[in-house]
Amino acid sequence: MKRGARKALAGVAMASALAGVNLGVAAPASAAIDTGGNCVDRCLYLYFNTGYSGSRFVMSYTGSGTNGIPDLAGYKFVTGGSGQGQAVKNNAASAKATFPGVGTSWVIYYNSGYAGACDAIRAYQEVEYAYKLQNTYNQNASARFLNSTPSGCYRFGS
C-alpha cells in the first residue's frame, strides 16, 4: 500500500474512533428517547456525584412511544468532570429533571426493566432536584418518564 493511501486510511480510522468516543453510548436509545444532550423539556440529568457535580448523562422523552431506557448498561457519563467515561448503570448519585407540566415524573429504578426500588422526581415546578438519590444511589439500572408516580418510590418534589 502506498504511503499516501496508508495515511488516508489511518485518518479515517482515527475519525471513526473519535466519533465513537464522543457518542458515549454502546446501546441505541429508542426513537422516543434522546440521549444526545439536546434537551428542551422532559429531561433527566443523572450526575456521577452527589450535589449535581461531576460528569452527567442526559436523556429526554421526545414524545409518544417508548418512554425510557430499560437497561442503562452501555451508556456512559459524557461531560467533563469526575466520572467522565464511566458507566451510567449503578453510578448515578444525584439527578435533576425538567417537565412540561405538573403531574409527571422521571422514575429511576434499582433494577433493569423498570423494577425494584425506585426514586421518582415529580413535577412540582419547572425543574426538580434530587441532591442525593435515596433508593437508587449508585444502584440505578433503568429510568423512564411517566404521567404518574409508582407507589413505593421515594418521591422528590412532592
Side-chain angles (χ1 to χ4, degrees):
M1 188 180 289
K2 292 185 178 182
R3 182 182 168 125
R6 278 193 300 241
K7 277 186 173 182
L9 187 56
V12 169
M14 179 63 85
S16 296
L18 288 174
V21 168
N22 288 335
L23 290 175
V25 291
S30 71
I33 293 292
D34 178 13
T35 59
N38 299 322
C39 197
V40 178
D41 61 17
R42 297 184 225 171
C43 311
L44 177 65
Y45 301 86
L46 295 173
Y47 292 86
F48 186 77
N49 293 329
T50 301
Y52 331 112
S53 65
S55 187
R56 78 172 182 230
F57 169 77
V58 180
M59 62 185 276
S60 64
Y61 179 56
T62 60
S64 63
T66 303
N67 62 342
I69 299 175
D71 189 352
L72 289 166
Y75 293 92
K76 302 207 181 287
F77 289 99
V78 295
T79 63
S82 176
Q84 182 178 16
Q86 296 294 314
V88 173
K89 185 173 184 175
N90 297 330
N91 280 315
S94 60
K96 288 183 184 178
T98 61
F99 301 93
V102 175
T104 57
S105 299
W106 274 104
V107 183
I108 304 160
Y109 294 89
Y110 190 92
N111 295 322
S112 296
Y114 315 121
C118 53
D119 286 321
I121 305 173
R122 293 170 40 94
Y124 180 67
Q125 298 176 4
E126 190 173 316
V127 179
E128 283 300 324
Y129 305 92
Y131 185 84
K132 180 180 178 188
L133 294 170
Q134 297 297 309
N135 291 335
T136 62
Y137 179 82
N138 288 337
Q139 292 297 323
N140 52 290
S142 56
R144 67 179 168 175
F145 181 81
L146 295 173
N147 287 324
S148 61
T149 301
S151 62
C153 287
Y154 182 88
R155 294 179 182 202
F156 292 93
S158 53

